[in-house]
Amino acid sequence: MKKTLLSAATLLALSLAAPLAAHEDHGCLDDGCITQLLFAEGGVAGTHSGTIAAQRFGSWGIDTAGMDRSARPGEDFFRYVSGTWANTTAIPADRSSYGAFAILRDLSEARLRALVESYPPGNPETDGDAAKIAALYQAFMDEATIETLGSKPVAPLLAAIRAARDKDQLAALMGQRGGLSGSFFGLTVSDDQRDPDRYALYLSQSGLGLGDREMYLRESFAPQRERYQAYIAQMLQLAGWNRPEANAQAILALETRIAQAHWTRAESRDRDKTYNPLALADFGANAPGFPWATFFRAAGVDNAPRAVVRQDSAIPNIAAIYADTDVATLQAWQAFHTVDAAAPLLSQAFVQAEFEFRSKFLSGQPEQRDRWKRGVALAESAMGEAIGRDYVALYFPPDAKAKMDALVANVKAAMGARLDALTWMGPQTKTEARAKLENFGLKIGHPDQWRDYSGLTVRNGDVFGNALRSRQFEWDYRRSRIGQPVDKGEWGMTPQTVNAYYSSVKNEIVFPAAILQPPFFDPDADPAVNYGAIGGVIGHEIIHGFDDQGRKSDGNGLLRDWWTAEDAAKFEAQASKLGAQYEAYTFPQLPGMHINGKVAMGENIGDLGGLTIALEAYRRSLAGKPAPAIDGFSGEQRLFMGWGQVWRTLWRDDALRQQLVNGTHSPGHIRAFAPLRNVDAWYEAFGVTENDPLWIAPEDRVRIW
């Protein structure tokens, strides 16, 4: 597979021990977003031989050797900033993409390995978090034992599916959120968008092994469906399930019907449509055909007064499909999804089959990731902030937080100045927007309080059992909070996560320690570069509070319309223009594939607005003094180069296809230049004219924030 320039969206692979994700309310910097809430209490002891330093980018923040100065900025700004790097960099064989995010994730992963392998083995029941982490990791690394066990660990789960002779019993299996059973419906617990001080139960559409409805319905994905059916049969055969070929055909047909009932990704991110509270007692009448009472009871949430339904018109249709499907097909569907989920923890035959389809075929990744990398992911997903506590002690000095606090304050002040200067927004809406900005929360580096893991049972040598218990532990923690006060200090990412996010219900922006490193942030780099890189990221997350969906919540995180109709119409007109710009970009290696402007709208608005207020903040930081030139580059040139550098990324073609279908972010080489085309200062900084391909006439440039 040839490599493709794309966005930095490499997600550190999560193991089966990963708890259920929170309700989708985070505006993350890229599709590597991890919204699990993993916290710990008490110290994790280990001996460390030393720290692993981050790589600096050039002497002042830009990798000038990685530039291609033969490229004109107005023709291909990505290549101008990162062209030589792109030409001389190979995607590692165990990755489907590689770039600035992946480089930092590799660094974080190496640091985590050193930590995890430093924890001494012991008795996980009595020796605290260190022994638990060691047990999680070492059990996964014991390949000989895992190979000897073969499929035995998953056998009891398959036996339970075989024993389920009716749809009521199968619905009970779907409700067991701590297990590995698949479900037609997803359950999560998160902050209530209409009552941000309380936790609520959310229910959403689910049931698709290929992830998105488009994979089932578009003719261009016929090869993926054909290979998926073969993979289903392969997994069923490995599991010893009867009639694997016939059942695989029936499962694909079933999932295709479910896909037809699913909302599109664009519809599912519309917060005006996805808040539909329904009493648990009314689900039977509202969506007949599915044993709701059994499902909720098995999940342990039957005491909840209601659930917020995200795709309200899809749920009854999916329930009807369940009622219309024979028990044998439902059993086979459940068996496949159980084995598919369990595969990374089983013997090599299962591991290889899962890798060949999900990583190699769908994303073009040539080789499996090293065992230790997957083992680190397992331990981190189960006890991420227990490890993160030591990570912070080693890699996040107090002065880094102080410098970030100052930078964020400058960018926030710049956003205030931009609000005051807006000519298209009326005074009533502007007052509300100002109040929301003033109420923005900020979390830098790591949480102040760490979660207690003492209730998690981990056993030496029991990788499969540890995974199941970890999932159950996390689900029990989350479901116990339904209706309870929201923990405002809680984090949605571990400190070692290379990402950032905005939470609309908490109205806060969050920056884990691991992203506060080059090329995003270097305390010794040129300030202009930092403003273009981490300043643009800070601005991006602030703008999520004012993007097409974030703007629907107020300063207290309450989902309500605080816009005048006139101002909302002006906003939507500019957003539509921006969406059209992005949808016009083509990908020659993938004919017919385009960015979905509605799905990526929030991120594209975030990029444009974030870069705009970062520029404003940089100008304000100069206090009227001229910026010095460095290596012949002006201050504003360096700022725009800092922005472009963080989006240097290569992806394989198959991964690009997956990104365009399943991702919420535009490809990275697009992000490196697309927002700049709407910023007048970029044209001035690089002398871009109407003769350049990236030129947009001033009257056609999008101006929102």
Side-chain angles (χ1 to χ4, degrees):
M1 295 288 181
K2 81 182 163 183
K3 63 188 181 183
T4 300
L5 306 180
L6 192 69
S7 67
T10 306
L11 172 61
L12 178 64
L14 291 176
S15 73
L16 293 176
L20 297 170
H23 167 63
E24 295 175 7
D25 192 52
H26 295 99
C28 296
L29 182 60
D30 89 328
D31 285 328
C33 178
I34 303 173
T35 56
Q36 286 93 0
L37 306 174
L38 303 170
F39 309 97
E41 176 73 29
V44 180
T47 56
H48 314 294
S49 58
T51 58
I52 303 174
Q55 172 190 351
R56 295 199 66 206
F57 280 61
S59 60
W60 47 271
I62 293 293
D63 172 23
T64 53
M67 298 175 63
D68 179 359
R69 302 197 195 200
S70 69
R72 297 201 319 274
E75 180 180 20
D76 189 339
F77 191 70
F78 179 91
R79 188 154 296 282
Y80 176 73
V81 174
S82 299
T84 298
W85 172 85
N87 290 338
T88 58
T89 299
I91 303 173
D94 67 348
R95 285 192 177 276
S96 59
S97 66
Y98 193 66
F101 279 79
I103 289 168
L104 277 189
R105 286 176 181 141
D106 283 345
L107 173 65
S108 184
E109 194 173 55
R111 289 170 169 177
L112 295 178
R113 181 189 190 183
L115 282 170
V116 168
E117 293 185 349
S118 76
Y119 300 134
N123 184 343
E125 295 185 10
T126 60
D127 294 342
D129 287 349
K132 288 182 179 180
I133 296 168
L136 287 164
Y137 179 72
Q138 295 300 334
F140 184 82
M141 297 301 291
D142 186 359
E143 294 182 75
T145 297
I146 292 172
E147 200 63 29
T148 299
L149 291 173
S151 64
K152 289 181 181 178
V154 79
L157 304 181
L158 296 175
I161 296 170
R162 288 191 178 94
R165 296 303 179 186
D166 58 43
K167 294 177 183 178
D168 192 75
Q169 293 177 347
L170 284 169
L173 292 177
M174 286 189 178
Q176 293 176 4
R177 316 309 294 169
L180 299 177
S181 298
S183 177
F184 283 17
F185 308 100
L187 288 176
T188 55
V189 177
S190 191
D191 311 18
D192 192 326
Q193 296 176 76
R194 296 283 189 187
D195 184 8
D197 293 328
R198 298 278 172 180
Y199 290 108
L201 178 68
Y202 287 81
L203 183 137
S204 60
Q205 64 188 20
S206 189
L208 302 181
L210 282 175
D212 189 85
R213 70 190 303 271
E214 298 300 316
M215 299 292 289
Y216 296 84
L217 306 182
R218 286 170 58 172
E219 182 59 33
S220 58
F221 292 120
Q224 283 76 18
R225 292 192 293 273
E226 181 180 357
R227 181 66 178 83
Y228 179 50
Q229 182 173 321
Y231 172 66
I232 296 171
Q234 181 184 19
M235 280 302 199
L236 291 176
Q237 186 171 17
L238 285 172
W241 202 262
N242 64 319
R243 303 172 60 243
E245 299 289 345
N247 274 316
Q249 184 176 358
I251 289 168
L252 180 58
L254 170 60
E255 291 191 6
T256 301
R257 292 183 65 192
I258 296 173
Q260 291 168 340
H262 267 218
W263 284 15
T264 66
R265 283 187 178 266
E267 292 170 330
S268 292
R269 65 178 297 272
D270 188 340
R271 299 181 72 213
D272 289 332
K273 298 178 180 179
T274 54
Y275 189 93
N276 306 286
L278 182 67
L280 262 58
D282 293 338
F283 269 80
N286 184 269
F290 184 77
W292 291 105
T294 299
F295 176 74
F296 289 130
R297 186 167 54 252
V301 298
D302 49 315
N303 61 335
R306 62 184 182 125
V308 178
V309 180
R310 299 196 66 230
Q311 300 91 359
D312 60 344
S313 63
I315 302 306
N317 293 332
I318 298 173
I321 292 169
Y322 184 86
D324 189 48
T325 303
D326 62 278
V327 169
T329 298
L330 291 174
Q331 286 177 312
W333 181 91
Q334 190 67 269
F336 162 68
H337 280 278
T338 298
V339 176
D340 183 39
L345 297 179
L346 299 176
S347 60
Q348 186 59 26
F350 292 91
V351 171
Q352 190 64 23
E354 194 266 350
F355 164 76
E356 290 284 341
F357 174 68
R358 297 212 172 272
S359 298
K360 189 172 185 178
F361 176 76
L362 288 182
S363 295
Q365 179 179 319
E367 296 179 7
Q368 176 69 279
R369 305 204 77 207
D370 289 343
R371 186 86 187 176
W372 72 262
K373 295 179 180 179
R374 290 175 280 148
V376 166
L378 184 147
E380 188 194 11
S381 64
M383 299 181 68
E385 289 203 8
I387 305 170
R389 201 170 42 241
D390 277 358
Y391 177 94
V392 166
L394 289 170
Y395 297 109
F396 192 66
D399 67 315
K401 184 178 188 306
K403 291 178 180 178
M404 269 296 293
D405 285 342
L407 199 69
V408 171
N410 289 344
V411 176
K412 183 177 176 181
M415 179 62 181
R418 296 289 303 178
L419 281 175
D420 292 342
L422 289 180
T423 58
W424 62 265
M425 180 180 283
Q428 180 180 333
T429 308
K430 192 175 289 188
T431 297
E432 289 269 15
R434 254 298 192 178
K436 180 169 187 176
L437 180 64
E438 290 301 320
N439 210 36
F440 255 62
L442 172 66
K443 292 174 178 172
I444 299 289
H446 58 87
D448 295 325
Q449 298 293 324
W450 308 86
R451 185 174 154 194
D452 180 6
Y453 279 102
S454 61
L456 172 62
T457 299
V458 176
R459 298 192 178 106
N460 287 320
D462 186 13
V463 63
F464 200 82
N466 289 340
L468 294 183
R469 286 186 292 272
S470 175
R471 290 170 66 96
Q472 189 65 56
F473 174 78
E474 186 65 27
W475 176 244
D476 287 346
Y477 171 71
R478 299 196 63 76
R479 69 182 179 85
S480 70
R481 304 195 301 179
I482 297 173
Q484 298 300 308
V486 166
D487 178 3
K488 300 294 186 178
E490 187 174 60
W491 277 53
M493 288 178 178
T494 63
Q496 60 270 29
T497 301
V498 182
N499 217 320
Y501 71 89
Y502 168 77
S503 171
S504 60
V505 283
K506 288 187 174 70
N507 191 33
E508 66 181 11
I509 52 178
V510 183
F511 297 89
I515 198 173
L516 304 178
Q517 302 175 94
F520 294 94
F521 177 62
D522 181 349
D524 298 320
D526 166 47
V529 176
N530 276 335
Y531 272 100
I534 197 65
V537 170
I538 294 167
H540 174 103
E541 299 305 339
I542 288 177
I543 292 297
H544 270 312
F546 301 92
D547 67 21
D548 65 314
Q549 299 303 317
R551 73 180 186 86
K552 296 176 180 179
S553 292
D554 65 15
N556 295 314
L558 179 65
L559 182 62
R560 71 175 180 89
D561 187 0
W562 47 269
W563 290 63
T564 66
E566 182 181 5
D567 289 341
K570 292 177 181 177
F571 177 94
E572 293 295 341
Q574 289 295 304
S576 295
K577 283 179 62 177
L578 188 67
Q581 284 183 12
Y582 280 83
E583 289 181 345
Y585 297 125
T586 60
F587 304 89
Q589 69 275 42
L590 299 174
M593 297 295 295
H594 295 273
I595 296 167
N596 187 322
K598 292 182 178 179
V599 172
M601 181 64 74
E603 302 302 332
N604 295 337
I605 291 174
D607 282 352
L608 173 56
L611 183 60
T612 301
I613 62 175
L615 176 62
E616 176 78 21
Y618 173 63
R619 287 173 169 173
R620 291 164 64 90
S621 75
L622 295 174
K625 299 178 181 179
I630 299 179
D631 287 352
F633 297 105
S634 70
E636 293 192 359
Q637 285 179 326
R638 301 193 303 273
L639 181 143
F640 294 126
M641 291 162 63
W643 169 266
Q645 184 172 254
V646 300
W647 302 115
R648 52 162 53 175
T649 309
L650 307 172
W651 270 37
R652 304 182 194 277
D653 289 352
D654 290 325
L656 169 55
R657 182 184 293 107
Q658 290 294 306
Q659 171 73 7
L660 292 172
V661 173
N662 296 316
T664 59
H665 297 76
S666 296
H669 72 288
I670 303 294
R671 297 180 77 174
F673 71 82
L676 303 176
R677 301 180 71 202
N678 296 290
V679 179
D680 295 343
W682 175 70
Y683 291 84
E684 298 164 5
F686 290 99
V688 178
T689 71
E690 60 270 21
N691 297 319
D692 289 307
L694 295 182
W695 168 271
I696 295 178
E699 63 272 18
D700 295 327
R701 295 170 194 168
V702 176
R703 307 178 193 278
I704 303 178
W705 299 112

